[in-house]
């Protein structure tokens, strides 16, 4: 049996509200319940909610705005491409732990603003993970190519299965590599064309260590906004303590 626990902490990391949900409920569907729980316990107030991107949807943000609440939330990394020119510029503000931040705006989001963040430590970690995936995927594809050239792999379906297996195993890398099966005049597999998507590869390397926040706060100092978002660490710490002290462990309810 699996349950889902929603936990609210204040900026000092003290738990001030929790709820237990059915285990098959997605995180994003729990926000309204948690907000209403807080309002029932402590009354309505103009709270600032700090949420990671697992809780973010346009419906949830509109729900918060209707209540007069402010928020700083994580945003999808795919949104970074809308700020390509601002990532390349030099007007970043240095904050602790080797992180740089800057405010950016998007014409589709009115008074809301985004905080571009890039972390040197996170950059090295993500770049190493990406490069490892690319190298491993390329190695597997080269083995398939070798099998085709040597005549060991002749069945289209089997070749496609193998390619799909390894592309699925390395999702970060598969977007950066194009694969095309070359056939001879008789329609038999002849070769495997493997090409790096250089534009995507360059962008992936440039945005390693970058992440995006979104807020409707009027504060214009990117360092102050980033510091507020980092209070989310307090909630994560509370969960780690809970799992440690209560002996809670992940339930692996899915099998291959």
């Amino acid at each position: 049996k699996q349950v889902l626990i929603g936990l609210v902490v204040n900026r000092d990391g003290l738990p001030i509200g929790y709820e237990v949900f059915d285990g098959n409920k997605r995180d994003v569907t729990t926000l309204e319940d948690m907000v209403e729980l807080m309002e029932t316990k402590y009354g309505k107030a103009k709270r600032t909610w700090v949420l990671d991107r697992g809780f973010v949807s346009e419906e949830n943000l509109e729900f918060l705005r209707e209540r007069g609440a402010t928020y700083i939330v994580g945003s999808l990394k795919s949104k970074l491409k809308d700020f390509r020119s601002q990532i390349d510029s030099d007007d970043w503000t240095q904050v602790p732990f080797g992180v740089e931040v800057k405010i950016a705006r998007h014409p589709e989001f009115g008074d809301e603003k985004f905080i571009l963040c890039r972390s040197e430590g996170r950059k090295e970690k993500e770049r190493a993970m990406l490069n490892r995936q690319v190298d491993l995927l390329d190695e597997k594809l080269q083995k398939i190519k070798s099998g085709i050239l040597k005549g060991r792999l002749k069945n289209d379906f089997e070749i496609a299965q193998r390619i799909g297996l390894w592309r699925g195993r390395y999702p970060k890398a598969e977007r950066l590599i194009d694969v095309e099966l070359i056939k001879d005049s008789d329609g038999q597999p002849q070769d495997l064309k493997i090409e790096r998507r250089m534009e995507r590869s360059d962008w992936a390397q440039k945005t390693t260590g970058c992440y995006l926040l979104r807020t409707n706060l009027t504060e214009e100092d990117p360092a102050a906004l980033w510091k507020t978002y980092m209070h989310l660490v307090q909630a994560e710490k509370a969960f780690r303590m809970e799992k440690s002290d209560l002996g809670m462990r992940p339930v692996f309810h899915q099998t291959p």
Side-chain angles (χ1 to χ4, degrees), residues 137-149:
L137 178 57
D138 184 67
E139 178 186 331
K140 300 300 182 183
L141 293 175
Q142 292 296 341
K143 286 183 179 179
I144 297 172
K145 177 184 176 80
S146 176
I148 294 170
L149 293 174

Side-chain angles (χ1 to χ4, degrees), residues 91-119:
D91 52 336
W92 292 81
T93 299
Q94 187 76 38
V95 294
F97 311 114
V99 177
E100 294 178 304
V101 294
K102 67 187 300 185
I103 285 179
R105 297 192 181 273
H106 194 289
E108 295 179 10
F109 291 88
D111 293 333
E112 284 186 305
K113 52 182 170 283
F114 291 82
I115 304 102
L116 293 170
C117 311
R118 63 184 182 192
S119 162

